Amino acid sequence: MGATAFQKGLGAIHALSHPIGAHHHTHHGTTNAVCIPAVLQMNRPEIEERIERAAAYLDISGGFDGFAACVDGV
């Protein structure tokens, strides 16, 4: 139950990363990085406008899709 309490409020990336890392003995930061692309897509309807603003600020072309491609290393 402690792990469940720890995950509350951390967001989907951490909520996935903690149990995956514990089960597969992976580095937490690496596991977060692997989870980010899927979580971005899952949350797209809620975060698209904010991500597009972030992409513009970071001079990443393509809006949400360009940002997601950058995160995914494409």
Side-chain angles (χ1 to χ4, degrees):
M1 293 309 295
T4 303
F6 182 65
Q7 291 175 4
K8 182 177 170 65
L10 291 178
I13 294 167
H14 282 284
L16 290 168
S17 181
H18 283 285
I20 290 170
H23 183 75
H24 294 285
H25 307 289
T26 56
H27 183 273
H28 181 65
T30 302
T31 309
N32 282 334
V34 169
C35 292
I36 288 172
V39 172
L40 275 175
Q41 294 303 323
M42 180 187 75
N43 287 328
R44 185 175 186 154
E46 295 296 321
I47 65 171
E48 188 164 8
E49 287 182 28
R50 287 177 278 170
I51 295 298
E52 287 178 351
R53 286 194 305 270
Y57 180 78
L58 296 168
D59 200 24
I60 298 170
S61 62
F64 183 93
D65 291 326
F67 184 90
C70 263
V71 168
D72 205 20
V74 176

